[in-house]
């Protein structure tokens, strides 16, 4: 009789609870807080005793948590994925570090991608500083060339994670990073390939909401109406759009510097063309009414405004960044969207056949 011994390698199941033990090394005013969007945990304070703390999160590799510590007034943060392994978090004045009891923890892959992301961010900051400082074109182009391979490496990592990490947060991060390179139809198709636990996360649901908003408000489609409760009663977009005029709608906020940069272009257009056939409409988003009014006064913006829309206007049109400028036709048809700078004048002149 021959006895066959079969050895089966077993991967231990992830715990339902992810335990995080941590330490704070140095600092006099250290304080640790945790933020988890999907668990409705918003800056919950964690007790630190003799430089040590511990915390538990329900295991879900599809979500992400951010731990932050104040080190003598300096905010130090560490992102982690509650994947069921034992996680060790260390804060110091030099930064934060995270290790896992599982050598294959997806937290290590997250750190790999995050390192490249931060490297690209450093080059981007230098690139923008050169532009704003009026540096020679050769110097700006040289910095752009240095940045390009890092940018491409990051995009490659994002694509790999969307393809191979469909059941955890890495695919969420990858999709968020690829948004500008994929059409809404491509994004929607990729999201449908993800695990249901990932699709249900708050971040993917926000992306889907944006996609749905853009798909129902594409160029050539009728305008999407929305309404808000204002000081004088209910205000609707349809009070201004679809009433026989071309309307250039500027989605903006007082705190948005790129929005402010566009204002001179808009003021010039308003001065030239405002009348029976054309006008401009401001739509303030995620901004207090008081701050919006203050900026309107300071910049002497003469066109009508819809204030205090918060996320209502943004969601209606699937807008995820501002400024966002849309040209509506006399009947409310969306003629052009996401137009910027000198292009705005060209689009308006073409529409008015001037």
């Amino acid at each position: 009789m021959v006895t066959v011994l079969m050895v089966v390698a077993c991967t231990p199941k992830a715990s339902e609870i992810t335990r995080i033990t941590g330490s704070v090394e140095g600092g006099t005013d250290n304080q640790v807080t945790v933020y988890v969007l999907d668990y409705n945990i918003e800056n919950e304070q964690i007790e630190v005793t003799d430089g040590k703390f511990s915390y538990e999160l329900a295991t879900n590799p599809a979500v992400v948590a951010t731990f932050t510590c104040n080190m003598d007034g300096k905010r130090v943060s560490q992102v982690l994925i509650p994947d069921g392994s034992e996680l060790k978090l260390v804060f110091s004045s030099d930064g934060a570090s995270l290790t896992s009891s599982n050598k294959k923890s997806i937290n290590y892959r997250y750190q790999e991608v995050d390192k490249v992301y931060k490297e690209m961010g450093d080059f981007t900051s230098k690139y923008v500083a050169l532009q704003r400082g009026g540096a020679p074109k050769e110097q700006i182009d040289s910095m752009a060339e240095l940045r390009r391979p890092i940018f491409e490496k990051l995009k490659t990592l994002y694509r790999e994670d969307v393809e191979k990490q469909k059941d955890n947060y890495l695919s969420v991060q990858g999709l968020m990073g690829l948004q500008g390179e994929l059409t809404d139809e491509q994004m929607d198709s990729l999201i449908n390939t993800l695990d249901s636990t990932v699709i249900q996360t708050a971040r993917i649901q926000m992306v889907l909401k944006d996609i749905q908003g853009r798909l129902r408000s594409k160029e050539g489609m009728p305008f999407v109406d929305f309404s808000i409760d204002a000081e004088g009663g209910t205000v609707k977009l349809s009070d201004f759009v679809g009433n026989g005029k071309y309307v250039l709608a500027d989605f903006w906020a007082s705190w948005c510097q790129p929005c402010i940069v566009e204002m001179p272009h808009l003021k010039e257009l308003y001065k030239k063309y405002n009348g029976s056939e054309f006008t401009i409409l401001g739509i303030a988003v995620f901004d207090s009414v008081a701050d919006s009014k203050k900026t309107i006064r300071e910049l002497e913006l003469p066109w009508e405004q819809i204030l205090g829309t918060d996320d209502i206007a943004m969601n209606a049109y699937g807008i995820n960044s501002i400024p966002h400028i849309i040209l509506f036709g006399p009947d409310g048809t969306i003629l052009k969207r996401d137009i910027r700078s000198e292009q705005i004048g060209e689009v308006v002149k073409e529409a008015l056949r001037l």
Side-chain angles (χ1 to χ4, degrees), residues 39-76:
Y39 294 167
N40 294 317
I41 299 174
E42 187 169 352
N43 298 324
E44 179 182 333
Q45 186 172 338
I46 304 172
E47 183 178 352
V48 179
T49 305
D50 296 329
K52 305 290 183 183
F53 66 91
S54 62
Y55 196 78
E56 293 184 348
L57 285 169
T59 294
N60 185 348
V63 308
V64 67
T66 302
F67 285 73
T68 302
C69 182
N70 291 321
M71 303 291 294
D72 293 327
K74 177 184 176 182
R75 288 174 58 83
V76 179

Side-chain angles (χ1 to χ4, degrees), residues 233-251:
T234 301
V235 177
K236 298 180 180 179
L237 181 63
S238 54
D239 295 336
F240 307 91
V241 172
N243 299 318
K245 283 187 180 184
Y246 289 92
V247 178
L248 191 69
D250 176 31
F251 294 75

Side-chain angles (χ1 to χ4, degrees), residues 124-331:
T124 300
S125 297
K126 293 174 184 176
Y127 177 74
V128 172
L130 289 174
Q131 285 186 313
R132 291 178 176 174
K137 184 177 183 299
E138 296 78 13
Q139 193 175 354
I140 294 173
D141 290 345
S142 176
M143 184 59 68
E145 285 300 313
L146 290 172
R147 177 182 178 271
R148 184 170 289 109
I150 302 170
F151 178 77
E152 291 302 325
K153 181 179 180 180
L154 183 62
K155 294 300 180 182
T156 298
L157 293 172
Y158 284 155
R159 293 187 191 98
E160 289 176 357
D161 285 347
V162 171
E163 178 64 29
K164 300 176 182 177
Q165 306 284 349
K166 296 182 182 295
D167 63 348
N168 63 65
Y169 178 76
L170 294 173
S171 59
V172 178
Q173 177 180 250
L175 277 171
M176 301 288 278
L178 293 173
Q179 276 191 96
E181 298 201 346
L182 302 174
T183 66
D184 286 328
E185 290 81 1
Q186 288 171 326
M187 284 286 290
D188 191 49
S189 178
L190 280 173
I191 287 173
N192 285 327
T193 69
L194 303 180
D195 189 88
S196 60
T197 58
V198 175
I199 295 176
Q200 291 165 10
T201 60
R203 288 172 175 82
I204 291 297
Q205 287 299 309
M206 284 188 271
V207 171
L208 283 172
K209 185 179 290 186
D210 286 345
I211 289 173
Q212 291 160 3
R214 286 191 294 273
L215 289 177
R216 67 171 175 261
S217 61
K218 294 195 295 186
E219 293 175 6
M221 299 184 71
F223 77 99
V224 178
D225 203 7
F226 62 82
S227 64
I228 63 162
D229 295 325
E231 294 175 356
T234 301
V235 177
K236 298 180 180 179
L237 181 63
S238 54
D239 295 336
F240 307 91
V241 172
N243 299 318
K245 283 187 180 184
Y246 289 92
V247 178
L248 191 69
D250 176 31
F251 294 75
W252 71 287
S254 64
W255 45 263
C256 168
Q257 190 57 37
C259 297
I260 304 304
V261 169
E262 295 290 5
M263 295 305 181
H265 298 290
L266 298 180
K267 290 180 75 172
E268 183 179 349
L269 287 173
Y270 187 84
K271 184 178 180 180
K272 281 185 179 180
Y273 305 125
N274 182 59
S276 59
E277 293 187 14
F278 171 84
T279 194
I280 293 177
L281 172 68
I283 302 174
V285 300
F286 290 114
D287 202 12
S288 73
V289 172
D291 287 343
S292 297
K293 286 183 175 180
K294 182 174 181 289
T295 300
I296 291 167
R297 288 194 303 270
E298 290 175 347
L299 298 182
E300 298 180 336
L301 305 181
W303 49 84
E304 292 187 282
Q305 301 275 350
I306 301 178
L307 306 180
T309 68
D310 292 327
D311 63 347
I312 294 173
M314 298 276 278
N315 289 342
Y317 287 85
I319 298 170
N320 53 28
S321 65
I322 53 175
H324 193 98
I325 298 173
I326 299 176
L327 179 64
F328 296 98
D331 62 352

